[in-house]
Amino acid sequence: MAMIKVVFFDLDDTLVDTSRLAEMARRNAIENMIVHGLPVDFDTAYSELMELIREYGSNFPHHFDYLLRRLDLPYNPKWVAAGVIAYHNTKFAYLREVPGARKTLLRLREAGYRLGIITDGNPIKQWEKILRLDLGDFFEHVIISDFAGVRKPHPKIFRKALKAFGVKPEEAVMVGDRLYSDIYGAKRVGMMTVWFRYGKYANAELEYREYADHEIKRLEELIGVLEREEGSNKEVHPAGR
């Protein structure tokens, strides 16, 4: 077996605590729209917004405009601005790394691993999270699907990432919270996989669980997983590296 040289991470709910943040930001947005005159009660407006997000996706840029249409209200830039401001203020004030993320990255770097990110999403939004949390220096390459033109679990995005580092699939590990896009995707190209059972997908997509070589509930557990892998490799190759 090859030695692991590169550790890839997903971004949302693997390094950045995204789900909780997004929910808080959306709630605050609706509340602020109501404060500024939106003539609808909170529950009605919030459930319409959530339905809209399910239909159009979370990166859709016109959530609040469409919300007014769905509520049969006239377009009002003041209400839209109130929503946008509260949404962004919340995201900037409460953006957090997943517990243990920085410590884990530091330890991996000290142990000599090369680090990368493979994430879906809007490239500017994803970079904004990485830079705001001051995590950019840890990563040699950040591969963002919308920029690469292909999304996880498509093999091409994982192959692009491996090529960027110049390593074989068996020399890399993928760590992510999504069994389908992260774990199944990486396993299909021959990478080692670590399912981080965290966030809103902790009990989802379990039909793909067999593709996870390891499961962890805390990010810090990753160090032990890699040490055990290295240990079993060293027994096979007594000379180590």
Side-chain angles (χ1 to χ4, degrees), residues 3-4 9 15 19 26 39 41 59-61 76 127 132 134 140 145 147 164 169 181 202 204 208 231 233:
M3 302 294 269
I4 297 290
F9 290 89
L15 293 172
S19 298
R26 286 168 193 150
D41 68 282
N59 279 326
F60 180 65
N76 184 325
W127 267 112
R132 276 185 182 277
D134 202 20
E140 268 182 62
S145 65
F147 203 66
S181 50
Y208 294 98
N233 280 342

Side-chain angles (χ1 to χ4, degrees), residues 44-95:
T44 305
Y46 185 72
S47 64
E48 278 292 342
L49 179 63
M50 291 315 293
E51 206 172 286
L52 203 158
I53 287 162
R54 277 193 293 278
E55 285 172 32
Y56 288 89
S58 58
N59 279 326
F60 180 65
H62 305 293
H63 285 148
F64 300 123
D65 306 355
Y66 273 47
L67 178 63
L68 298 183
R69 293 181 193 180
R70 291 173 82 108
L71 293 166
D72 295 320
L73 293 166
Y75 178 73
N76 184 325
K78 180 184 173 189
W79 297 341
V80 173
V84 169
I85 288 166
Y87 185 82
H88 286 299
N89 285 355
T90 308
K91 286 192 95 162
F92 298 152
Y94 296 99
L95 187 68

Side-chain angles (χ1 to χ4, degrees), residues 110-141:
E110 281 162 13
Y113 291 102
R114 298 166 68 195
L115 305 175
I117 286 175
I118 306 175
T119 179
D120 289 335
N122 174 314
I124 292 173
K125 279 189 176 181
Q126 298 306 69
W127 267 112
E128 192 173 6
K129 292 170 200 169
I130 294 164
L131 297 179
R132 276 185 182 277
L133 289 172
D134 202 20
L135 296 174
D137 290 345
F138 285 107
F139 301 101
E140 268 182 62
H141 298 285

Side-chain angles (χ1 to χ4, degrees), residues 24 45 62-63 70 80 112 142 157 160 178 180 201 220 225:
M24 205 159 41
H62 305 293
H63 285 148
R70 291 173 82 108
V80 173
V142 174
I157 191 159
K160 274 181 188 264
R178 295 280 308 263
Y180 176 59
Y201 291 100
E220 292 99 323
V225 165

Side-chain angles (χ1 to χ4, degrees), residues 222-233:
L222 180 60
I223 310 294
V225 165
L226 291 170
E227 280 171 357
R228 286 194 296 280
E229 283 285 335
E230 293 275 313
S232 62
N233 280 342

